[in-house]
Amino acid sequence: QGQLVESGGGLVQAGGTLRLSCVASGSIFAPRTMSWYRQAPGKQRELVAHINSGGSRNYADSVKGRFTISRDDARNTLYLQMNSLKPEDTAVYHCSITTVWGNEYWGQGTQVTVSA
């Protein structure tokens, strides 16, 4: 079975930078969409960014210009570069991969906390 493991979260002050990583193992085949979601206490789960198999990227308006999603296929890794972090970015961040067959894989999440 496929497995996704996130890392790179932590505590950072406003204006700081973090890079999240999501490593896929267990042979996840035929990815269609690779995504980062986040969920803060009292808020709905939010799609932060995604990248499709062709390399097209999309971002939530709240993170445009600050976050960058990328992937390294050779290392089976998805990244989220987060610059100019704000307290509003505080959340648990999850990666997700959807295959062309409709299968979905989710990571366990990594905590990002941005202090004022």
Side-chain angles (χ1 to χ4, degrees):
Q1 294 293 315
Q3 183 179 11
L4 304 178
V5 179
E6 302 99 332
S7 63
L11 175 63
V12 64
Q13 291 188 335
T17 297
L18 288 172
R19 188 180 73 162
L20 307 183
S21 299
C22 171
V23 179
S25 63
S27 299
I28 298 177
F29 299 106
R32 182 183 66 195
T33 304
M34 294 144 282
S35 305
W36 285 99
Y37 290 81
R38 67 186 181 187
Q39 187 166 23
K43 293 185 177 181
Q44 298 292 315
R45 183 187 299 156
E46 176 188 19
L47 176 62
V48 177
H50 70 259
I51 181 170
N52 66 19
S53 59
S56 180
R57 297 168 170 85
N58 292 96
Y59 299 92
D61 288 342
S62 60
V63 307
K64 286 181 179 178
R66 299 188 297 120
F67 290 10
T68 303
I69 187 171
S70 62
R71 69 179 194 268
D72 185 338
D73 292 338
R75 293 180 169 84
N76 298 315
T77 303
L78 180 70
Y79 299 100
L80 185 67
Q81 179 70 39
M82 304 186 295
N83 300 328
S84 302
L85 282 162
K86 304 176 180 179
E88 305 91 272
D89 297 318
T90 296
V92 176
Y93 285 70
H94 298 263
C95 64
S96 177
I97 294 177
T98 302
T99 73
V100 298
W101 309 110
N103 306 109
E104 296 184 2
Y105 300 86
W106 289 85
Q108 83 289 346
T110 185
Q111 176 72 47
V112 171
T113 302
V114 184
S115 65

